[in-house]
Amino acid sequence: MSDLLERLRGRGWRLTSQRRVVAEVLDGEHVHLTADEVHARAVQRLPEISRATVYNTLGELVGLGEILEVATDGRAKRYDPNAHQAHQHLVCSGCGAIRDVHPQGDPLAALPAAERFGFVLSGAEITYRGLCPDCTTNAVP
Amino acid sequence: MSDLLERLRGRGWRLTSQRRVVAEVLDGEHVHLTADEVHARAVQRLPEISRATVYNTLGELVGLGEILEVATDGRAKRYDPNAHQAHQHLVCSGCGAIRDVHPQGDPLAALPAAERFGFVLSGAEITYRGLCPDCTTNAVP
DNA sequence: TGTTGACTTAGACAAAGTCCAAGTTAGGAT
DNA sequence: ATCCTAACTTGGACTTTGTCTAAGTCAACA
Ligand SMILES: [Mn+2]
Ligand SMILES: [Mn+2]
Ligand SMILES: [Zn+2]
Ligand SMILES: [Zn+2]
């Protein structure tokens, strides 16, 4: 985390308290917060931080490749600090919980040339859907 | 398409001109329109159709499994009439063009048990990213 | 300790989607 | 063929998510 702040300073960023707090909020594993969730948690530590600054900072971090934008549903985008290790997402259809997962093999290999329509492929995003242990236990009959 | 309208009547739907027009607009292959795009095309045929009715009808069709909701970006949801054949999506990072594609094999097979966190999997959505032939040709240097 | 351009802020604005009360109508009943 | 009514549609208010701007603040360098 402090290495992130170091990298940002190396890139000419001013290290403001607002940016520090956003970076702190985004620390951890399996973290996939919406912008408003980031704002809510940032306000705990820095009451006067504005929504605009949270959006600005998230957008800048995405541009620098330090965090990822994840769109697992049609709702708000989620922000993912796990940007330096390729991974996919497993989402619970019951409660919305999101886990980072690492499928085997190259996902692009499954798409035959005849199905590529002349596109030059650059990657693939996979959202696995299912029910988490909690939601499986408390499932509707 | 008229078979869709038959199925809907079989399910107790009133066949209104509005619903007929929405169904017509959603006919075809590689069709992935936003709600507002559906509305814009519906208005060509039925000028007084409202946005609310388009949203209502799309939601009902999704609930019945007759169309799919696709969220390939963080923008508006897209509606896909190709609901009766499993498929994935190939999206151009340049112009946003979307094609239906059919990868080989079972996408769930790539996720080892150790990476499933006790979830009961039900499916996977894959978005392949790349540049379409047009965008490859006119690429920035 | 000053200076200054980068940064932050509040609030207006926009896009996407939901909800409601009032008006209209498809389709079964007569 | 006409009537009746629950189902449907409508316009507009409202919500959520995100963008933009003008004015004020401050981190970093001198
Ligand atoms: Mn992740
Ligand atoms: Mn499709
Ligand atoms: Zn769950
Ligand atoms: Zn393209």
Side-chain angles (χ1 to χ4, degrees):
Chain A
M1 186 46 42
S2 60
D3 47 332
L4 166 59
L5 294 175
E6 282 312 308
R7 280 202 299 281
L8 296 177
R9 190 152 55 176
R11 290 179 185 257
W13 265 37
R14 284 202 194 164
L15 289 194
T16 65
S17 51
Q18 290 86 351
R19 286 171 170 176
R20 225 181 303 262
V21 163
V22 169
E24 284 170 17
V25 165
L26 284 173
D27 194 22
E29 301 208 330
H30 305 284
V31 170
H32 305 93
L33 299 170
T34 66
D36 273 343
E37 288 167 351
V38 171
H39 181 240
R41 297 187 186 201
V43 162
Q44 307 287 323
R45 304 173 184 229
L46 190 66
E48 68 274 24
I49 189 173
S50 72
R51 245 169 39 97
T53 291
V54 169
Y55 273 102
N56 286 344
T57 304
L58 291 173
E60 289 158 353
L61 288 171
V62 170
L64 293 175
E66 297 288 354
I67 65 176
L68 297 175
E69 248 175 26
V70 180
T72 50
D73 56 6
R75 312 293 311 280
K77 292 175 193 163
R78 295 182 172 272
Y79 293 89
D80 185 342
N82 187 11
H84 298 300
Q85 181 196 26
H87 68 280
Q88 304 297 344
H89 293 104
L90 170 55
V91 179
C92 177
S93 308
C95 64
I98 305 178
R99 315 289 326 216
D100 288 346
V101 294
H102 305 86
Q104 310 171 318
D106 178 5
L108 300 189
L111 198 63
E115 286 283 307
R116 297 189 181 195
F117 296 95
F119 280 53
V120 177
L121 296 193
S122 55
E125 295 143 32
I126 308 180
T127 303
Y128 296 95
R129 305 270 177 195
L131 285 178
C132 74
D134 274 12
C135 290
T136 302
T137 304
N138 315 335
V140 291
Chain B
M1 188 45 42
S2 61
D3 48 332
L4 166 58
L5 293 175
E6 281 312 309
R7 280 202 299 280
L8 295 178
R9 189 150 59 177
R11 291 180 186 255
W13 266 36
R14 285 200 191 164
L15 290 192
T16 65
S17 51
Q18 291 85 351
R19 286 170 168 177
R20 225 181 303 264
V21 164
V22 169
E24 285 170 16
V25 165
L26 284 174
D27 194 22
E29 302 207 329
H30 304 284
V31 170
H32 305 93
L33 298 171
T34 66
D36 273 342
E37 288 168 352
V38 172
H39 181 240
R41 297 187 188 200
V43 162
Q44 307 287 321
R45 303 173 185 229
L46 190 65
E48 68 275 23
I49 190 174
S50 72
R51 248 169 39 98
T53 292
V54 170
Y55 274 101
N56 287 344
T57 304
L58 292 173
E60 290 158 353
L61 289 170
V62 170
L64 293 175
E66 297 288 354
I67 64 176
L68 298 175
E69 248 175 27
V70 180
T72 50
D73 56 6
R75 311 296 309 278
K77 292 175 192 161
R78 294 182 172 274
Y79 293 90
D80 185 342
N82 186 11
H84 298 301
Q85 182 197 24
H87 68 281
Q88 305 296 345
H89 292 105
L90 170 55
V91 180
C92 177
S93 308
C95 65
I98 304 178
R99 316 289 324 215
D100 288 346
V101 295
H102 305 85
Q104 309 171 319
D106 178 4
L108 299 189
L111 198 63
E115 287 282 307
R116 296 189 181 195
F117 295 95
F119 280 53
V120 177
L121 296 194
S122 55
E125 296 144 31
I126 307 180
T127 303
Y128 296 95
R129 305 269 175 194
L131 285 179
C132 75
D134 275 11
C135 290
T136 302
T137 303
N138 313 337
V140 290

